[in-house]
Amino acid sequence: MTQSEHRGGPGARGSTGNSPVETRNEAVARLEGDLEKLRALLREHMLQREAVEEELRASGEQYRMLAESIEDMVSLHADDGTILYVSPSCTKLTGYAPHEYLSGATFSFIHPEDHALAHAGMETVLRGESPTLELRAVCKDGTHRWVEMRPRLVPAEGRAPRRILSVTRDIEQRHRAEEALRRAEDRYRALFLRASHGIYRTTPDGTFVDVNPALVQMLGYDRPDELLGANVGNVAFRDPADQASVLARLSAGGLRDWAEVRWVMRDGTPISVRLAMHAVRNDDGTLEGYEVIAEDVTERQRREELLRRGERMASLGTTLAGVAHELNNPLAAIGGFAQLMLRETTASDEDRAALQTIHHESNRAAKIVRDLLTFARREESQQRERIDLNDVIGYLMATQRYAMETRGIERELKLAADLPAVLAERTQIEQVALNLLVNARQALEAMIDAPAEIGSGPRQRTPRIGVRTWTEGRRVMLEISDNGPGIPAELRSRIWDPFFTTKAEGEGTGLGLAMVHGIVTGYDGSIEVESDVGSGTRFIVSLPADSRPAPPVQTEVRGNTTPPREQAARALDILIVEDEPGIRRVLTRYFASRGHAVLSARDGAEAVKLARQSAFDVVICDLRLTGIMDGYEVVSRIRALPTGVRTRCIIMSGGGSEAVATLRNDTVVVSAVIEKPYDIEELRRAVEG
């Protein structure tokens, strides 16, 4: 075979006439051209690759510069948590250098108690979510620091491994502030729940949004949810208008102190409450609601009222103790002379009746003084007797007849027959009935004196006072009524208070009904008032009937016969020490009439001088004397004299039962203590033994 044939190969047989050499050259040329094209394409590809790599290197450098320039720590993690990159900010955050992070395990830099949270966060990221984790990072010095970690999944192309990019921020200061705020809120909530005062928050319209247990209890509810959503004006305020008034004062800037209001409990019980209110506003000044502290002051007000009343009673007791002596001295003289004249006079029945009235009224006046002391000092009276209430009413109506008739006031008496007796002091029962009668009469007189009204009205009624007695079971009932102007509802609860009066200054002390109430309740009785403005008033007194059998009736002998002059068993030398001339004259006259030798002294100095000169069988000495010596010292000095060793000393006191009790318990030796105004027979028995 020739060389040309070999070069042509099989293709030579298929040629169209070209020589084998030409065919081969063309093929080689084509191949070289294609190769050159490939080389050109490769060069272009390499240039593009270099440009891309350069761009990638530039971008990576920018990202690195960005990561290393921010304060937050930036880190890159493999999907198994391995740290691939960490920015230098890690050193400022935890104290570790970047290379220490790259050589350690990820979770060794997280507090052990937060590992579970970190694992869960990584799994969440791999699912395509973007959580925010708050956990504690471990610092190189062994401490822990709260950080906020925001891991994000980095998109990967093809089969490239997944990466997690995380930005970690220091939140230690914020976490401390939040923790302090939580603790403060916990303390506030604990204080809110444990406070003894009621605390609540409302919307601007007064709807409860939060209440503490003390408020729930204060209003008588069982659970807070029974109040939440309700309006405080409807639930708590006795008068919703009070709430509007308080809010108006608050909005006007006038509520700078506690506001006292009247609330009502769930069961209707009224209570007094003090409110401290604060308006809560948003940043833009819009009213958000009210925060309120409520203090129940009902019991405190009651105690303060009792204290004030006690102070008034103590003041009254002190005053009355001082004036009792001055009142009882003239009463003792009046009563003493009345008793003497009743024993000695031969006057007519009418004059004797007048003397008996003087004696009776002086005793009643003296009893009233003692009753005032009893009321003011809360003392118990023991001198009780069977009292016929009808007899008391008949006597008092007779004494008031003239005053009523001259003012045109009609009287209606309906006294029950066979009325049971009551066990009491007559003067106190008289005081009860007289106070009620006088109040009724004065109410009618005020109506009579009022200007005439046009048309029908109270002024056109005939003034009338009605008195009625009856029995209800074992109770004796007394009703005293009038058809006067009546008592306003707002005053009815106060009429029993001491010193409360609606009368003009100088016309009343406000003690009358207070004493009536005290006397009646002191006998286990009750007193009620029914009144309507314009229709009159009814007082109803109920007293327990005396269950003891009635004593036998004693016949009283009356007439013009002069009682026989009585003589003492033996004559006594008597010294009377009294600074009141009237009492000295009564006692001197009386004991001289009984055959005794009587001397008198105006003061202690004169009495001691007389006692030095002669011995006395009996010394009657007033407790309070003018001068430097009182009855105590006079008796002590006379008993210390040789002439006074056997002298019996009798003290007279006008200071009430409390002073008498003090004397009886004192170390001064006295034979008797007589309370002014005295009964002359009681004094006689003490003197003559």
Side-chain angles (χ1 to χ4, degrees):
M1 176 179 295
T2 64
Q3 186 176 3
S4 60
E5 291 176 346
H6 176 73
R7 289 180 180 176
R13 289 191 287 270
S15 64
T16 56
N18 295 333
S19 66
V21 176
E22 291 178 354
T23 302
R24 184 186 63 185
N25 290 337
E26 292 175 356
V28 170
R30 285 196 298 275
L31 289 172
E32 288 178 351
D34 292 339
L35 182 60
E36 187 60 32
K37 290 179 180 179
L38 289 173
R39 288 193 185 100
L41 289 173
L42 180 59
R43 283 194 299 272
E44 183 179 355
H45 177 70
M46 292 299 292
L47 290 173
Q48 291 177 351
R49 178 180 175 182
E50 289 175 358
V52 170
E53 289 179 350
E54 181 62 26
E55 184 177 352
L56 288 175
R57 281 194 298 271
S59 298
E61 187 63 25
Q62 290 175 357
Y63 289 138
R64 183 184 298 275
M65 290 175 62
L66 177 63
E68 294 179 355
S69 64
I70 63 176
E71 293 186 0
D72 296 340
M73 185 178 81
V74 179
S75 56
L76 186 65
H77 304 260
D79 57 3
D80 62 355
T82 304
I83 300 175
L84 303 177
Y85 168 80
V86 63
S87 66
S89 300
C90 64
T91 304
K92 183 179 179 181
L93 181 64
T94 65
Y96 287 105
H99 70 273
E100 293 176 297
Y101 272 96
L102 297 177
S103 61
T106 300
F107 288 97
S108 61
F109 300 100
I110 296 175
H111 193 285
E113 294 180 3
D114 297 334
H115 284 180
L117 176 62
H119 275 294
M122 291 300 180
E123 292 175 359
T124 302
V125 172
L126 294 175
R127 291 197 299 268
E129 300 178 18
S130 302
T132 298
L133 309 177
E134 289 190 7
L135 42 77
R136 286 162 291 181
V138 177
C139 299
K140 192 171 184 178
D141 60 2
T143 61
H144 305 99
R145 181 176 292 274
W146 282 95
V147 297
E148 179 186 80
M149 182 180 291
R150 296 187 177 186
R152 302 291 185 268
L153 187 63
V154 179
E157 297 182 0
R159 303 174 66 86
R162 293 180 297 180
R163 298 289 185 263
I164 297 174
L165 181 68
S166 179
V167 177
T168 303
R169 175 170 296 174
D170 184 0
I171 61 168
E172 178 68 21
Q173 294 300 323
R174 189 186 79 188
H175 193 274
R176 288 181 181 177
E178 290 175 350
E179 183 62 25
L181 180 61
R182 278 193 296 271
R183 287 196 299 268
E185 289 176 346
D186 289 342
R187 288 194 298 269
Y188 167 78
R189 193 66 188 176
L191 180 63
F192 178 80
L193 295 176
R194 293 196 300 265
S196 58
H197 290 359
I199 304 174
Y200 64 92
R201 294 179 62 245
T202 70
T203 59
D205 66 352
T207 301
F208 284 117
V209 294
D210 201 2
V211 296
N212 74 333
L215 183 76
V216 176
Q217 182 179 7
M218 182 188 300
L219 291 174
Y221 288 83
D222 300 321
R223 303 183 310 277
D225 57 6
E226 293 177 309
L227 289 174
L228 297 177
N231 190 280
V232 62
N234 299 330
V235 172
F237 279 86
R238 190 173 183 180
D239 183 357
D242 289 348
Q243 181 192 22
S245 172
V246 171
L247 294 181
R249 289 171 56 195
L250 181 63
S251 2
L255 192 60
R256 295 183 174 86
D257 202 352
W258 292 80
E260 292 199 5
V261 297
R262 295 288 289 173
W263 276 11
V264 62
M265 297 177 64
R266 186 180 194 177
D267 61 1
T269 304
I271 56 175
S272 298
V273 177
R274 291 200 320 158
L275 300 180
M277 304 182 66
H278 169 68
V280 180
R281 300 185 180 275
N282 295 323
D283 295 338
D284 60 359
T286 305
L287 181 64
E288 183 179 340
Y290 299 99
E291 293 178 348
V292 186
I293 299 176
E295 179 187 5
D296 185 351
V297 295
T298 307
E299 181 62 22
R300 187 175 73 189
Q301 287 184 348
R302 188 188 70 82
R303 290 196 302 266
E304 289 175 351
E305 177 58 28
L306 290 176
L307 178 60
R308 286 193 295 269
R309 187 175 299 176
E311 290 173 348
R312 290 197 299 267
M313 292 302 100
S315 175
L316 175 64
T318 303
T319 303
L320 289 179
V323 302
H325 181 268
E326 301 302 324
L327 290 174
N328 281 328
N329 279 334
L331 289 174
I334 294 170
F337 274 115
Q339 293 177 70
L340 288 181
M341 294 179 71
L342 281 170
R343 287 171 172 271
E344 299 173 358
T345 187
T346 58
S348 64
D349 287 346
E350 185 176 351
D351 289 339
R352 287 185 62 80
L355 288 172
Q356 288 172 346
T357 301
I358 293 172
H359 181 214
H360 181 275
E361 292 303 314
S362 66
N363 283 339
R364 189 164 70 86
K367 288 278 190 177
I368 290 174
V369 173
R370 287 197 292 272
D371 290 340
L372 288 172
L373 286 169
T374 298
F375 172 76
R377 296 171 180 167
R378 299 295 191 265
E379 296 175 352
E380 293 289 339
S381 175
Q382 302 296 332
Q383 300 175 358
R384 300 186 181 187
E385 57 181 315
R386 289 172 58 86
I387 304 297
D388 182 353
L389 195 57
N390 286 345
D391 183 59
V392 171
I393 294 300
Y395 171 77
L396 292 177
M397 290 297 284
T399 63
Q400 292 291 307
R401 178 181 60 83
Y402 177 78
M404 293 183 187
E405 287 181 350
T406 55
R407 300 307 303 270
I409 300 173
E410 294 184 354
R411 295 165 295 153
E412 290 184 355
L413 262 67
K414 295 182 180 179
L415 305 181
D418 301 323
L419 191 70
V422 296
L423 189 63
E425 281 195 47
R426 184 182 180 91
T427 53
Q428 288 192 336
I429 298 302
E430 287 179 351
Q431 190 174 352
V432 169
L434 183 61
N435 265 288
L436 298 180
L437 283 172
V438 170
N439 280 353
R441 177 172 59 80
Q442 290 177 342
L444 292 173
E445 289 173 349
M447 182 182 73
I448 294 169
D449 295 336
E453 298 178 3
I454 299 175
S456 60
R459 183 63 181 85
Q460 281 65 43
R461 292 197 300 266
T462 300
R464 181 179 296 107
I465 290 178
V467 181
R468 184 166 67 101
T469 60
W470 73 98
T471 57
E472 286 185 3
R474 299 300 304 167
R475 312 286 291 185
V476 177
M477 311 297 293
L478 167 66
E479 176 188 288
I480 297 179
S481 61
D482 66 75
N483 61 347
I487 304 172
E490 62 272 15
L491 299 182
R492 283 177 215 151
S493 62
R494 301 184 59 194
I495 62 174
W496 313 113
D497 292 346
F499 306 106
F500 174 76
T501 180
T502 57
K503 299 176 183 177
E505 185 176 354
E507 295 184 5
T509 63
L511 281 172
L513 288 178
M515 287 190 294
V516 166
H517 187 275
I519 292 171
V520 171
T521 55
Y523 290 128
D524 295 328
S526 63
I527 182 168
E528 298 178 0
V529 60
E530 298 176 2
S531 183
D532 293 317
V533 175
S535 300
T537 303
R538 296 171 64 235
F539 284 94
I540 303 171
V541 177
S542 172
L543 293 168
D546 184 14
S547 57
R548 302 178 305 172
V553 178
Q554 296 181 353
T555 304
E556 181 179 356
V557 179
R558 296 186 180 182
N560 292 336
T561 304
T562 304
R565 182 178 298 273
E566 299 177 358
Q567 294 293 326
R570 71 180 183 89
L572 300 173
D573 292 325
I574 300 174
L575 174 62
I576 298 171
V577 188
E578 174 62 65
D579 53 6
E580 286 287 333
I583 298 178
R584 288 201 307 270
R585 287 196 296 270
V586 169
L587 297 181
T588 300
R589 176 175 173 176
Y590 174 65
F591 286 111
S593 71
R594 293 187 56 81
H596 302 298
V598 183
L599 290 179
S600 64
R602 294 186 300 271
D603 54 33
E606 185 178 357
V608 173
K609 181 179 179 181
L610 291 173
R612 285 197 181 100
Q613 297 172 359
S614 60
F616 292 94
D617 297 303
V618 180
V619 173
I620 305 172
C621 184
D622 188 21
L623 176 61
R624 295 186 180 182
L625 296 168
T626 56
I628 60 174
M629 284 188 286
D630 60 8
Y632 280 110
E633 190 169 353
V634 172
V635 169
S636 299
R637 291 194 179 190
I638 291 176
R639 292 298 300 272
L641 296 172
T643 55
V645 174
R646 298 182 180 277
T647 301
R648 290 187 298 111
C649 297
I650 298 172
I651 288 287
M652 294 186 299
S653 170
S657 57
E658 187 179 74
V660 173
T662 302
L663 277 171
R664 287 171 178 164
N665 295 328
D666 200 83
T667 55
V668 177
V669 178
V670 294
S671 300
V673 178
I674 303 298
E675 189 174 354
K676 293 180 180 179
Y678 45 78
D679 180 80
I680 205 162
E681 280 298 311
E682 179 186 7
L683 184 58
R684 181 193 65 78
R685 289 191 295 269
V687 170
E688 297 178 354

